[in-house]
Amino acid sequence: AGRLLLAQRKYPAAQQHLEGDSANPLSLKLLVTAYEKNKARVEARALLKRLQEWRIPSIEESLVVPEVREGAVVSRK
Protein backbone atom coordinates (compact mmCIF):
# COMPACT_ATOMS: atom_id res chain seq x y z
CA ALA A 1 0.00 0.00 0.00
CA GLY A 2 2.83 2.38 0.86
CA ARG A 3 4.54 1.85 -2.50
CA LEU A 4 1.27 2.48 -4.35
CA LEU A 5 0.54 5.64 -2.37
CA LEU A 6 4.07 6.86 -3.03
CA ALA A 7 3.59 6.30 -6.77
CA GLN A 8 0.34 8.27 -6.54
CA ARG A 9 2.26 11.11 -4.84
CA LYS A 10 0.20 10.76 -1.66
CA TYR A 11 3.27 11.19 0.50
CA PRO A 12 1.72 11.61 3.98
CA ALA A 13 -0.43 8.50 3.52
CA ALA A 14 2.52 6.55 2.10
CA GLN A 15 4.60 7.62 5.08
CA GLN A 16 2.03 6.22 7.51
CA HIS A 17 1.98 2.83 5.78
CA LEU A 18 5.76 2.58 5.35
CA GLU A 19 6.51 3.54 8.96
CA GLY A 20 4.71 0.37 10.02
CA ASP A 21 7.27 -1.82 8.25
CA SER A 22 10.39 -0.73 10.12
CA ALA A 23 12.09 -4.13 9.85
CA ASN A 24 12.25 -4.09 6.05
CA PRO A 25 15.03 -2.07 4.39
CA LEU A 26 13.08 -1.90 1.11
CA SER A 27 10.19 -0.19 2.89
CA LEU A 28 12.60 2.08 4.75
CA LYS A 29 14.21 3.14 1.47
CA LEU A 30 10.76 4.08 0.16
CA LEU A 31 10.08 5.86 3.43
CA VAL A 32 13.18 8.00 2.90
CA THR A 33 11.69 9.07 -0.43
CA ALA A 34 8.34 9.84 1.21
CA TYR A 35 10.10 11.92 3.87
CA GLU A 36 12.08 13.81 1.23
CA LYS A 37 8.97 14.54 -0.84
CA ASN A 38 7.20 15.64 2.35
CA LYS A 39 10.09 18.02 3.14
CA ALA A 40 10.95 16.04 6.31
CA ARG A 41 14.68 16.23 5.68
CA VAL A 42 15.77 15.56 9.27
CA GLU A 43 13.79 12.33 9.36
CA ALA A 44 15.11 11.32 5.91
CA ARG A 45 18.74 11.85 7.00
CA ALA A 46 18.23 9.93 10.24
CA LEU A 47 16.67 7.02 8.37
CA LEU A 48 19.46 7.01 5.78
CA LYS A 49 21.96 6.78 8.61
CA ARG A 50 20.01 3.88 10.08
CA LEU A 51 20.06 2.09 6.72
CA GLN A 52 23.80 2.69 6.32
CA GLU A 53 24.37 1.01 9.67
CA TRP A 54 21.92 -1.85 9.00
CA ARG A 55 23.36 -5.20 10.08
CA ILE A 56 20.45 -7.63 9.93
CA PRO A 57 21.19 -10.21 7.22
CA SER A 58 18.37 -10.63 4.73
CA ILE A 59 17.70 -10.57 1.02
CA GLU A 60 16.31 -7.06 1.41
CA GLU A 61 19.51 -5.93 3.08
CA SER A 62 21.59 -7.16 0.17
CA LEU A 63 19.38 -5.21 -2.24
CA VAL A 64 19.21 -1.90 -0.39
CA VAL A 65 21.99 -1.36 2.11
CA PRO A 66 25.06 -1.49 -0.18
CA GLU A 67 23.50 1.13 -2.44
CA VAL A 68 22.74 3.39 0.52
CA ARG A 69 26.22 2.91 2.00
CA GLU A 70 27.77 3.94 -1.31
CA GLY A 71 25.76 7.14 -1.26
CA ALA A 72 23.67 6.32 -4.29
CA VAL A 73 20.68 8.53 -4.89
CA VAL A 74 17.74 7.06 -3.01
CA SER A 75 14.85 9.04 -4.42
CA ARG A 76 14.05 9.03 -8.08
CA LYS A 77 11.37 10.87 -10.02
Side-chain angles (χ1 to χ4, degrees):
R3 181 183 292 262
L4 179 62
L5 290 165
L6 192 61
Q8 294 172 342
R9 297 182 177 160
K10 297 178 181 177
Y11 305 120
Q15 209 174 296
Q16 288 178 335
H17 281 279
L18 294 166
E19 285 172 341
D21 195 11
S22 62
N24 184 333
L26 292 171
S27 294
L28 295 179
K29 182 179 175 186
L30 293 172
L31 182 55
V32 168
T33 301
Y35 282 151
E36 289 174 343
K37 298 292 185 180
N38 237 4
K39 308 267 189 269
R41 294 180 185 8
V42 172
E43 290 87 347
R45 276 190 226 113
L47 192 50
L48 275 174
K49 185 175 193 273
R50 181 175 165 203
L51 279 171
Q52 288 170 338
E53 296 170 352
W54 193 274
R55 299 285 188 265
I56 301 170
S58 67
I59 291 171
E60 291 84 1
E61 177 199 15
S62 66
L63 293 171
V64 174
V65 176
E67 179 181 304
V68 172
R69 284 187 186 139
E70 292 171 8
V73 177
V74 174
S75 63
R76 297 193 175 117
K77 289 185 178 183

